Amino acid sequence: MATNLQQYLKYQYPDVKVLYVEGEKFTREKLLRVLNRRFPHVHVAIDGVEGFHLYQRYQPELIICDIKMDQKSELDMIKKIRELNDQVQVIVTSAYDDPAFLMQSNTNHVNHFILKPIDLNLLLQAIQKSVYQMQLEKELAKQKKLNRTLLDIEDNLIFVIENEEIIEFNQAFTNFTGISKDQTHLHKSKLLSSFFVEDTNYFYPKDKSSWKEEINETGKGSLKVHWKDMESRDVIFYLKTETIPGTNQAIFVCKDITFLEEESRKNKQLVLMDSLTHSINRMEIDDILESEIRRAERLGQPFSVILIDIDSFIEVNEQYGKQVGDKVLSTISIIVQQRIRESDIFARSGREDFMLLTPGTDGSGAKELAESIRAIIEEFHFPEIDQITCSFGIAEFSTGKAKDVLLLEANQALTVSKNKGRNCVTIYNLEK
């Protein structure tokens, strides 16, 4: 062991393997003595054919090769080695300085070119520079491997985009998107547009193909997005983006906050839900109405508002008491919620008033829904009271119509229903 260690320490470059190709015996033996004092492993060949076989067998990091104008095997050897390993360092010696020959050497990515007769100092300088470059590339490769390991053990989705192409990403990103590393091409950032889910609670691009630009336009370094993975599972991410200094690259980090958002939503529902009717309360419905108007505007879809007012509810409270009145409210809420779709939004908007939002439904469809609810309530037997009826007012959204105008129209339609004798349905503009 001690002998091996001493032998190891005597070399200036103990970790570098060399392939030396030289056809002239005198030059070869002279330079070989210099190389053997500095490198523990020097493999010698007399031409390019033998040199390539030695390269395949020993995989040296440094090639020192003499090239003669009348021999092509050495240039062929360098070309074939470059195809296998573009990081290998190549030092060429030659007695010829013909421009065409030099250009051919450059085409094969020769790192250093030294004219014969060889100046030993120049050769040693070239060797030193080549070894330094190899060490630098090894350190970079080592650092890259470390960075890759750190990225891949990270649970967050991490990816880097440059010029609309995804140039780097971690294993968590692959697991979520199904996009894997392929050395033959880069993935376009537009591929990620398919993962966005339209949700009024989270960022959703107007044009999904330009989602990155729209995120930049918000002026925010972080926002929440609703994505659906390759297995159609819904995930809420806290997405943070930042430009990498000195580049046109942007790094994106997506932290899964689905559980936190679900807990937050449950807590919010406890605060914003009406405890008696288990419907959304007035404070929340205003924000939801604004969001639905924006969505209908963006998608060009129909959208209607239905106002529901319990007829003679004050008299019910006065004659039968508040407890019976509360029972009427909760019963009507149950009737409505059992009749509407999951996408419809039902809220208590006043003491005896309710509001129903019907995305994707025009005035005619809203009237049909309201008539069915009206008929069910009219026919339902309420304990102690027997019969309760409701009046309905409907307004249909149209492009450019403000929230206040839409609600005013629905209230005017409701007033018409009341004036007609109650227990009926009126659509604004159609049946004023």
Side-chain angles (χ1 to χ4, degrees), residues 298-405:
R298 184 174 71 252
L299 300 178
Q301 293 181 345
F303 168 61
S304 298
V305 174
I306 303 173
L307 297 184
I308 307 170
D309 184 81
I310 302 175
D311 297 329
S312 306
F313 187 72
I314 295 176
E315 287 83 349
V316 170
N317 271 345
E318 290 177 349
Q319 184 174 351
Y320 299 101
K322 183 178 182 302
Q323 188 173 1
V324 173
D326 287 349
K327 185 62 177 177
V328 169
L329 288 169
S330 62
T331 301
I332 288 177
S333 176
I334 292 171
I335 290 172
V336 175
Q337 293 190 62
Q338 287 181 342
R339 175 63 184 83
I340 62 177
R341 305 168 302 175
E342 188 176 346
S343 59
D344 294 331
I345 302 160
F346 183 61
R348 185 180 180 185
S349 54
R351 186 176 60 177
E352 69 269 18
D353 305 319
F354 296 94
M355 182 187 299
L356 180 57
L357 310 183
T358 59
T361 304
D362 60 13
S364 177
K367 181 182 179 183
E368 184 178 341
L369 174 62
E371 282 287 1
S372 68
I373 294 172
R374 184 202 63 77
I376 294 171
I377 294 172
E378 181 184 25
E379 295 170 4
F380 190 84
H381 173 71
F382 290 83
E384 299 186 45
I385 307 172
D386 192 27
Q387 187 185 53
I388 290 289
T389 62
C390 290
S391 298
F392 297 76
I394 300 170
E396 181 180 345
F397 172 77
S398 58
T399 302
K401 188 177 291 186
K403 180 187 74 172
D404 292 343
V405 174

Side-chain angles (χ1 to χ4, degrees), residues 40-265:
H41 304 290
V42 180
H43 306 284
V44 185
I46 62 171
D47 58 30
V49 175
E50 183 184 8
F52 186 66
H53 289 312
L54 289 175
Y55 176 82
Q56 289 179 304
R57 182 175 179 182
Y58 297 106
Q59 301 293 308
E61 299 94 345
L62 175 61
I63 313 294
I64 302 174
C65 178
D66 181 69
I67 297 179
K68 296 176 177 59
M69 285 291 289
D70 58 346
Q71 294 182 3
K72 300 295 183 182
S73 68
E74 287 77 15
L75 283 174
D76 290 341
M77 177 198 72
I78 295 173
K79 183 179 179 181
K80 288 191 287 186
I81 290 175
R82 279 284 182 226
E83 290 173 354
L84 297 174
N85 181 1
D86 61 358
Q87 298 298 317
V88 69
Q89 289 287 308
V90 178
I91 299 174
V92 163
T93 64
S94 180
Y96 300 92
D97 60 355
D98 180 73
F101 173 72
L102 293 174
M103 185 174 292
Q104 191 175 5
S105 297
N106 288 332
T107 302
N108 287 286
H109 305 290
V110 170
N111 300 101
H112 302 281
F113 188 92
I114 298 174
L115 281 172
K116 284 184 173 181
I118 296 173
D119 183 324
L120 188 58
N121 286 329
L122 288 178
L123 177 62
L124 293 178
Q125 288 176 19
I127 289 174
Q128 188 175 20
K129 289 178 181 178
S130 291
V131 171
Y132 175 77
Q133 184 63 32
M134 283 187 286
Q135 291 171 340
L136 181 61
E137 288 171 356
K138 284 180 180 178
E139 284 300 316
L140 289 174
K142 187 177 176 182
Q143 187 63 46
K144 187 175 181 180
K145 186 175 181 180
L146 174 61
N147 291 340
R148 165 55 49 193
T149 302
L150 291 175
L151 281 175
D152 285 341
I153 64 174
E154 176 64 58
D155 290 334
N156 297 332
L157 274 62
I158 301 175
F159 56 99
V160 177
I161 292 178
E162 179 180 26
N163 298 328
E164 307 305 323
E165 291 181 332
I166 307 169
I167 62 171
E168 185 61 89
F169 49 87
N170 66 348
Q171 187 60 43
F173 178 87
T174 295
N175 295 342
F176 182 87
T177 63
I179 297 173
S180 60
K181 289 190 176 296
D182 186 339
Q183 299 301 323
T184 61
H185 73 280
L186 295 173
H187 300 286
K188 296 293 183 181
S189 61
K190 290 182 180 179
L191 288 173
L192 301 182
S193 63
S194 63
F195 294 100
F196 282 92
V197 175
E198 184 174 3
D199 189 327
T200 56
N201 297 305
Y202 305 102
F203 169 80
Y204 184 78
K206 295 177 182 178
D207 179 1
K208 291 201 294 183
S209 65
S210 60
W211 64 269
K212 187 168 67 73
E213 290 76 10
E214 290 191 32
I215 287 178
N216 291 335
E217 289 170 4
T218 66
K220 300 177 181 178
S222 57
L223 41 74
K224 296 176 182 178
V225 296
H226 182 173
W227 279 6
K228 193 181 289 287
D229 70 8
M230 59 178 180
E231 296 181 359
S232 297
R233 291 176 297 197
D234 292 289
V235 182
I236 308 301
F237 285 114
Y238 181 75
L239 183 151
K240 187 172 183 180
T241 179
E242 189 171 325
T243 301
I244 300 175
T247 72
N248 60 347
Q249 299 174 356
I251 185 169
F252 294 80
V253 180
C254 300
K255 182 178 179 61
D256 187 344
I257 58 169
T258 308
F259 177 76
L260 294 176
E261 286 294 287
E262 184 62 31
E263 290 299 305
S264 175
R265 190 177 296 111

